[in-house]
Amino acid sequence: MTSSTEHVVDYGQFAARLAAPRTSRWELLSEVQREWGFEPEEWDPEDWDPELWEDDEDDEDEDDEKDEDDDEEARIDRSLPVPVALREWWTWPENTFMANARWYWTHPEMPPTLRPDPTGWGVAHEVPEGSPLLPPGGDRRVCVFMAEYQYCNEWGYPAAEAGQDDPRVLVSVGGDEGWVVQDRSVSEHLLHLALMRLPSRFGWTLAVQRDDLDRDPAALARLTAAYPDMGLLPWRELAGDVVLHGGPDLIVRHDRGIADDYVLLLTGRTEAAVREAAALLGAPCAGRDPEPPRV
């Protein structure tokens, strides 16, 4: 699959697209996936059995399987509803995670599992007491629906907001904070996740390291001035603090955190879009060519 480049998509205008009213919560995600080369007929997502969300009273597995099932049940509070947005996404025919989860580098947790995890599998704790994320005396548990491959970060919604149609998404960051807001809703989070994962696989890419930027300290300011913030909250993963900036056929990932990888990742629907951003950066990209799509 390759991106459709018959027209220019200006991700510098993405914040306005994000704020615009929609007929469906997945309409913008569908648009973005198509912009990077996906067509509905190419998806064949697995149908998820609704029994995943219900307690099975007729389970007659062997003892070892029953013990495993008991452990799994201990991780789930069946009295908490699964938010409508999450249910919709799992069974949405255009769900690219279901088409190929390897593109996303995350593990699903479905049905969502509790933190703290009574089995010890999930590593995050509850929201710290006194956190401004929740009212005093509120349920401090978190329902996790996705985790980084090594469970270094986990994403979930507050158990206190499980009854909402599209609740906030929190991410575990460790330390005294414990949890911070990752996205303003489940649907925004899944759009954000796609923007973090898909362009670097299906687009042209050029990474800029910290040492590269030292060659021209003003380069970063030039780039962020030319390419507006896309309107999403910072992406917190693996010590990163990533802000997305956009331009014509281009998404720039700017990592303001302490991760050891690149500070900037230029991802373009076209090679020309990446080369234009690289020319603006100047010395940090001198003599380097964008890498072609990996798919």
Side-chain angles (χ1 to χ4, degrees), residues 192-272:
H192 199 173
L193 177 63
L195 286 165
M196 288 293 297
R197 299 300 200 255
L198 300 183
S200 58
R201 175 170 290 274
F202 293 95
W204 292 81
T205 61
L206 183 61
V208 182
Q209 310 293 332
R210 298 182 191 277
D211 290 344
D212 295 330
L213 285 176
D214 289 341
R215 299 166 63 188
D216 183 354
L220 180 59
R222 289 198 302 273
L223 190 78
T224 54
Y227 297 104
D229 189 308
M230 289 175 59
L232 294 156
L233 300 182
W235 184 264
R236 303 289 298 272
E237 184 179 4
L238 299 176
D241 181 29
V242 179
V243 177
L244 296 182
H245 294 258
D249 283 339
L250 184 80
I251 294 176
V252 177
R253 290 168 53 171
H254 174 206
D255 190 350
R256 309 175 304 179
I258 59 173
D260 293 331
D261 293 336
Y262 46 79
V263 177
L264 296 173
L265 183 66
L266 313 180
T267 57
R269 296 174 70 239
T270 65
E271 181 182 5

Side-chain angles (χ1 to χ4, degrees), residues 3-4 11 26-39 43 89 92-97 104 190-191 194-195 198:
S3 59
S4 174
Y11 291 101
W26 309 117
E27 184 180 351
L28 182 54
L29 176 54
S30 180
E31 291 174 7
V32 166
Q33 291 180 157
R34 283 173 170 80
E35 289 162 5
W36 290 90
F38 297 95
E39 295 298 333
W43 292 312
W89 182 75
W92 182 45
E94 298 184 16
N95 184 331
T96 52
F97 183 93
Y104 284 85
L190 296 168
L191 168 67
L195 286 165
L198 300 183

Side-chain angles (χ1 to χ4, degrees), residues 73-263:
E73 276 302 305
R75 308 177 71 215
I76 302 165
D77 185 342
R78 295 285 182 180
S79 70
L80 296 175
V82 176
V84 172
L86 194 56
R87 287 173 174 261
E88 288 180 354
W89 182 75
W90 277 110
T91 56
W92 182 45
E94 298 184 16
N95 184 331
T96 52
F97 183 93
M98 293 302 302
N100 195 331
R102 290 176 297 173
W103 297 338
Y104 284 85
W105 294 90
T106 58
H107 289 301
E109 295 271 326
M110 196 64 183
T113 57
L114 295 173
R115 301 296 183 273
D117 185 342
T119 69
W121 181 258
V123 297
H125 300 290
E126 68 270 29
V127 175
E129 187 172 2
S131 168
L133 293 174
L134 298 171
D139 189 337
R140 295 190 286 126
R141 296 177 300 167
V142 178
C143 300
V144 166
F145 61 86
M146 195 163 288
E148 185 272 336
Y149 263 1
Q150 302 300 322
Y151 282 74
C152 296
N153 298 95
E154 299 173 324
W155 292 275
Y157 51 87
E161 298 177 9
Q164 296 182 17
D165 181 65
D166 203 4
R168 295 178 298 168
V169 172
L170 310 181
V171 59
S172 62
V173 294
D176 294 336
E177 284 184 293
W179 296 88
V180 298
V181 177
Q182 172 65 90
D183 289 289
R184 290 164 288 233
S185 66
V186 167
S187 57
E188 182 177 287
H189 173 73
L190 296 168
L191 168 67
H192 199 173
L193 177 63
L195 286 165
M196 288 293 297
R197 299 300 200 255
L198 300 183
S200 58
R201 175 170 290 274
F202 293 95
W204 292 81
T205 61
L206 183 61
V208 182
Q209 310 293 332
R210 298 182 191 277
D211 290 344
D212 295 330
L213 285 176
D214 289 341
R215 299 166 63 188
D216 183 354
L220 180 59
R222 289 198 302 273
L223 190 78
T224 54
Y227 297 104
D229 189 308
M230 289 175 59
L232 294 156
L233 300 182
W235 184 264
R236 303 289 298 272
E237 184 179 4
L238 299 176
D241 181 29
V242 179
V243 177
L244 296 182
H245 294 258
D249 283 339
L250 184 80
I251 294 176
V252 177
R253 290 168 53 171
H254 174 206
D255 190 350
R256 309 175 304 179
I258 59 173
D260 293 331
D261 293 336
Y262 46 79
V263 177

